[in-house]
């Protein structure tokens, strides 16, 4: 309890001395052993004083008892026992010596007690430390087991390693089994640049050696530098270091490292033992996180396969529907074709009739042109609905197929503000091909070009020959272009960057399949935000056996999104 300041505290001359005394009292109060010792010392001093006073009294009684008229019955026996002054002094000295001896023994006893108490206090604080360490370990082990996030887990491992060994800095290095190189995956107290640039080959530096031998290493100030086999890995700041292997089953997956720079006391064997124990636990947690990550990846893969399967199934159902629609459209087109021919024939007849007036002739001319247009569209629909290439190999003119395809998409292109520029080589040789399939390819390319130019642009279509005698068709746009990272994937089935419902990712894969089955090839060049050019090259005569180079045989499959548009 705090004492109330007395009157003397207010006098400057006493206040300093009193304060010091207060402090001393407070110090004593904090050390019960010292307090007891002081009390004993005081008692001994009192006992000595009493003995001394007794001796002096006896001496005075014997020396001056008679003179001062003390009762002779008291003085006589005392004088007899004590005899002379010399005997008195001798007894006095003896008593003092015995007292001093006992005092000495007691001092020894106290010293021993103090040592014992100090030892006990040390043990108690060590136990407390161990207890706190165990609690922290318990919490951390729980956190380690509960943590599946690898970066967070690595961070936790470093923090714990530092805590367990009371180190300045620490790091976890993991081994890249392909390159046999250790890199720092998490660290505390280490410069970011150093972290990023450190790459230790197996056998290099301390961690590299531990990863090779699998033996934990404890290095002290005296042997730290001599253990490094190259100057490159020296760190002048480090005075003491521990590196232990991280082992999953019998495989070393990395090392756990801690080091000291400024601590007067270096790492001890207990630190090494504690870190080795912890490293086993950390490796288990890492394995568990790794397993979790692997299973997550497998699950993601499985889900994406399932997703793809679902889409393929939907695709197939859709294609089935479209195939029926195609048959239906073919039938309808066929039916429309006959009356159209009748209308065209009659119009021609009326036009040839000399009795027909000029204004009527003009109207008839318009009727003929538009009817011819309808006939072309119907012809396109008929070609589009045909299926097997093998059955439909014909002599075809690429320019005509392109014209027909353009006619089918003309309306959409005009509405979309797309200007079409044609450079069709006039005397282009005919080739042997399936016109329906080629039309499907060109339609895919034209629609892709259109989609790439949502705000309009220029669509260039060129035909010509290539030096090896084959023919080429180029379809180029001034659209958004294809990012370099996608260019190798655009021919993959189901690869699409378009929104749900806009694209199926089948157009190009189907197109490549068709062209390759004709013995030709299809290529692409693209510059982002400038445009894309697709070049189709076909031989004059296709191979007798159709080549089917694609892992999926999609040649007969029409991309529903294309067919619908
Ligand atoms: P879909 O058009 O259904 O997505 P495709 O196989 O036809 O499938 O095309 C695959 C992808 O290739 C498209 O999603 C698009 O990202 C890209 N692509 C194709 N043609 C072009 C083009 N002319 N300009 C820009 N990107 C294109």
């Amino acid at each position: 309890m705090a004492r109330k300041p007395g009157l003397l505290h207010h006098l400057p001359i006493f206040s300093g001395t009193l304060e010091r005394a207060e402090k001393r009292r407070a110090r004593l109060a904090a050390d019960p052993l010292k307090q007891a010792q002081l009390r004993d010392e005081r008692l001994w001093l009192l006992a000595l004083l009493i003995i001394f006073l007794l001796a002096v009294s006896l001496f005075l009684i014997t020396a001056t008892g008679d003179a001062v008229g003390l009762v002779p019955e008291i003085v006589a026996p005392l004088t007899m026992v004590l005899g002379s002054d010399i005997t008195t002094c001798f007894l006095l000295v003896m008593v003092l010596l015995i007292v001093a001896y006992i005092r000495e023994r007691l001092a020894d006893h106290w010293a021993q007690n103090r040592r014992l108490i100090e030892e006990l206090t040390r043990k108690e604080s060590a136990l407390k430390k161990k207890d706190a360490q165990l609690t922290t370990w318990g919490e951390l082990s729980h956190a380690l087991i509960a943590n599946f996030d690898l970066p967070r887990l690595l961070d936790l491992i470093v923090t714990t390693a530092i805590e367990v060994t009371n180190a300045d800095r620490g790091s976890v290095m993991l081994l890249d089994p392909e390159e046999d190189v250790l890199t720092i995956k998490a660290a505390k107290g280490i410069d970011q640049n150093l972290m990023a640039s450190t790459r230790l080959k197996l056998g290099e530096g301390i961690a590299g050696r531990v990863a090779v031998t699998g033996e934990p290493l404890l290095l002290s100030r005296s042997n730290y530098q001599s253990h490094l086999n190259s100057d490159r890995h020296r760190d002048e700041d480090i005075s003491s270091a521990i590196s232990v292997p991280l082992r999953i089953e019998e495989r070393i997956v990395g090392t756990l490292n801690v080091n000291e720079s400024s601590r007067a006391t270096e790492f001890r064997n207990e630190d090494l033992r504690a870190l080795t124990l912890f490293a086993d636990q950390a490796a288990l947690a890492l394995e568990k996180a790794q397993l979790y990550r692997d299973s997550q990846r497998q699950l993601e893969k499985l889900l994406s396969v399932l997703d793809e399967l679902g889409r393929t199934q939907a695709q197939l159902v859709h294609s089935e529907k479209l195939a029926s629609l195609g048959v239906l459209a073919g039938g309808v087109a066929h039916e429309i074709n006959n009356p159209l021919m009748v209308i065209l024939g009659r119009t021609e007849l009326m036009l040839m009739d000399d009795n027909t007036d000029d204004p009527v002739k003009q109207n008839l001319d318009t009727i003929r042109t538009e009817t011819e247009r309808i006939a072309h569209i119907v012809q396109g629909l008929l070609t589009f609905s045909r299926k097997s290439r093998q059955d439909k190999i014909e002599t075809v003119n690429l320019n005509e197929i392109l014209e027909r395809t353009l006619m089918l998409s003309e309306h959409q292109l005009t509405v979309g503000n797309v200007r079409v520029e044609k450079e069709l080589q006039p005397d282009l040789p005919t080739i042997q091909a399936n016109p329906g399939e080629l039309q499907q390819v060109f339609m895919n390319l034209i629609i892709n070009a259109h989609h790439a130019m949502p705000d309009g642009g220029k669509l260039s279509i060129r035909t010509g020959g290539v030096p090896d005698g084959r023919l080429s068709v180029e379809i180029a746009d001034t659209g958004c272009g294809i990012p370099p990272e996608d260019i190798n994937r655009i021919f993959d089935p189901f690869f699409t960057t378009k929104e749900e419902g806009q694209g199926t990712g089948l157009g190009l894969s189907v197109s490549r399949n068709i062209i390759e089955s004709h013995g030709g090839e299809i290529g692409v060049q693209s510059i982002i935000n400038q445009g894309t050019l697709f070049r189709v090259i076909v031989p004059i005569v296709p191979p007798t056996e159709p080549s089917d180079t694609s892992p999926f045989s999609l040649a007969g499959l029409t991309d529903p999104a294309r067919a619908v548009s």
Side-chain angles (χ1 to χ4, degrees):
M1 208 169 74
R3 286 172 171 230
K4 272 192 188 168
L7 188 64
L8 291 179
H9 280 85
H10 299 291
L11 298 173
I13 191 164
F14 288 116
S15 64
T17 322
L18 288 174
E19 257 170 43
R20 273 198 297 281
E22 280 293 332
K23 274 188 192 151
R24 191 162 166 265
R25 228 193 320 273
R27 259 204 318 277
L28 280 178
D31 186 350
L33 188 76
K34 238 195 168 99
Q35 246 179 358
Q37 198 175 346
L38 205 74
R39 215 170 26 241
D40 282 0
E41 265 171 12
R42 278 193 196 134
L43 278 175
W44 277 107
L45 276 176
L46 194 69
L48 274 177
L49 194 69
I50 292 169
I51 290 168
F52 181 73
L53 288 176
L54 203 68
V56 170
S57 321
L58 284 175
F59 178 72
L60 287 176
I61 289 167
T62 47
T64 58
D66 292 342
V68 291
L70 273 178
V71 188
E73 286 80 22
I74 300 171
V75 178
L78 277 175
T79 318
M80 207 175 75
V81 173
L82 296 172
S84 63
D85 296 347
I86 295 170
T87 320
T88 312
C89 285
F90 177 72
L91 278 178
L92 196 63
V93 168
M94 280 303 285
V95 169
L96 284 176
L97 279 176
I98 288 167
V99 169
Y101 174 73
I102 294 171
R103 165 82 179 81
E104 201 52 40
R105 297 292 313 173
L106 272 173
D108 277 356
H109 190 63
W110 282 334
Q112 212 172 346
N113 270 355
R114 170 160 281 279
R115 271 197 303 278
L116 276 173
I117 287 174
E118 272 171 4
E119 181 78 1
L120 276 175
T121 321
R122 231 190 353 263
K123 288 219 160 118
E124 191 194 356
S125 79
L127 271 174
K128 273 189 185 155
K129 206 171 136 192
K130 277 255 149 36
D131 185 49
Q133 223 171 40
L134 276 174
T135 316
T136 324
W137 272 43
E139 284 166 6
L140 283 164
S141 322
H142 185 257
L144 283 185
I145 290 163
N147 216 312
F148 292 101
D149 173 28
L150 196 60
R152 170 87 193 88
L153 183 69
L154 289 168
D155 223 46
L156 203 65
I157 291 174
V158 178
T159 314
T160 316
I162 290 178
E163 202 146 306
V164 165
T165 52
N166 213 7
D168 286 342
R169 342 175 194 160
S171 65
V172 181
M173 298 187 92
L174 291 187
L175 183 67
D176 177 344
E178 274 166 23
E179 290 186 51
D180 276 349
V181 165
L182 284 166
T183 48
I184 302 180
K185 294 292 177 197
K188 285 249 150 65
I190 293 176
D191 179 58
Q192 286 286 325
N193 292 336
L194 185 72
M195 237 182 104
S197 63
T198 302
R199 286 170 66 81
L200 291 181
K201 288 211 184 92
L202 282 182
E204 262 183 9
I206 296 168
R209 284 182 51 192
V210 170
V212 169
T213 59
E215 291 297 322
L217 262 184
L218 190 165
L219 303 179
S220 58
R221 210 184 310 276
S222 49
N223 64 0
Y224 172 71
Q225 296 297 345
S226 62
H227 263 82
L228 293 169
N229 45 10
S230 100
D231 274 348
R232 205 151 64 82
H233 306 294
R234 274 194 187 165
D235 186 341
E236 299 301 335
D237 275 356
I238 295 177
S239 58
S240 174
I242 298 180
S243 180
V244 294
L246 288 168
R247 226 186 236 115
I248 293 180
E249 286 163 359
E250 279 314 298
R251 203 162 37 92
I252 292 175
V253 294
T255 61
L256 182 56
N257 321 295
V258 287
N259 45 50
E260 271 298 339
S261 51
S262 55
R263 197 163 69 165
T265 53
E266 298 174 342
F267 289 128
R268 288 171 304 174
N269 278 331
E270 289 118 79
D271 297 320
L272 180 71
R273 268 198 303 276
L275 199 67
T276 313
L277 271 178
F278 174 66
D280 290 344
Q281 218 176 348
L284 273 177
L286 277 177
E287 186 189 17
K288 180 210 64 192
Q290 191 65 46
L291 282 175
Y292 179 75
R293 245 155 85 118
D294 287 352
S295 56
Q296 277 294 96
R297 277 203 201 118
Q298 297 288 353
L299 189 72
E300 272 164 26
K301 252 192 215 158
L302 206 76
L303 285 177
S304 86
V305 168
L306 272 177
D307 200 41
E308 201 158 289
L309 239 145
R311 284 204 295 166
T312 315
Q313 201 185 13
Q315 196 64 57
L316 285 172
V317 172
H318 207 82
S319 326
E320 271 302 307
K321 282 186 195 160
L322 278 165
S324 322
L325 261 177
V327 172
L328 198 73
V332 172
H334 192 75
E335 286 305 312
I336 294 172
N337 214 25
N338 292 339
L340 268 184
M341 289 306 125
V342 175
I343 297 171
L344 256 181
R346 294 288 156 91
T347 316
E348 292 283 351
L349 280 177
M350 284 172 82
L351 275 170
M352 284 186 322
D353 192 344
D354 292 339
N355 296 331
T356 314
D357 298 337
D358 273 355
V360 177
K361 271 193 176 167
Q362 262 180 7
N363 285 336
L364 283 171
D365 205 43
T366 313
I367 291 173
R368 185 179 57 182
T369 319
E370 292 307 310
T371 314
E372 272 172 359
R373 214 167 107 79
I374 297 174
H376 270 292
I377 294 173
V378 167
Q379 191 58 41
L381 268 176
L382 273 171
T383 324
F384 211 68
S385 67
R386 286 180 199 154
K387 280 200 105 183
S388 162
R389 185 186 74 84
Q390 284 300 84
D391 303 344
K392 301 292 170 189
I393 292 290
E394 296 170 12
T395 303
V396 292
N397 184 313
L398 284 176
N399 288 349
E400 277 173 18
I401 297 177
L402 280 165
E403 290 280 17
R404 240 190 347 253
T405 318
L406 270 174
M407 194 183 298
L408 283 171
S409 50
E410 192 183 341
H411 175 69
Q412 280 167 314
L413 293 172
T414 317
V415 172
N417 224 3
V418 176
R419 189 160 42 89
V420 181
E421 265 189 23
K422 289 182 279 184
E423 279 178 51
L424 306 180
Q425 192 178 299
D427 52 352
L428 199 69
T430 52
I431 62 164
Q432 295 297 309
N434 181 325
E437 282 185 357
L438 288 188
Q439 185 169 339
Q440 191 179 335
V441 172
F442 299 142
M443 181 65 93
N444 280 336
L445 298 180
I446 289 170
I447 291 174
N448 273 345
H450 182 195
H451 284 168
M453 301 183 285
D455 301 323
K458 189 172 84 176
L459 174 70
S460 313
I461 299 187
R462 283 181 289 273
T463 53
V466 284
D468 63 5
R470 295 185 292 171
L471 302 186
S472 81
V473 177
E474 287 181 357
I475 297 182
D477 62 64
T478 54
C480 59
I482 303 168
E485 65 272 20
D486 287 350
I487 203 122
N488 290 328
R489 304 169 61 200
I490 57 169
F491 291 102
D492 292 348
F494 305 112
F495 174 81
T496 182
T497 55
K498 294 175 190 170
E499 283 169 18
E500 189 88 33
Q502 269 246 338
T504 58
L506 277 175
L508 288 179
S509 64
V510 169
S511 301
R512 186 170 65 176
N513 218 294
I514 291 174
I515 296 301
E516 284 179 352
S517 71
H518 277 79
E521 56 198 74
I522 180 167
V524 61
Q525 285 169 14
S526 186
I527 300 175
I528 203 91
N529 291 331
Q530 286 193 27
T532 305
L533 180 145
F534 280 91
R535 179 181 289 117
V536 174
I537 295 179
V538 280
I540 306 273
V541 181
T544 34
E545 276 303 306
S547 64
D548 189 2
T549 48
S550 162
F552 298 91
S553 184
L554 295 167
L557 200 69
T558 306
D559 181 359
R562 303 302 146 81
V564 167
S565 56

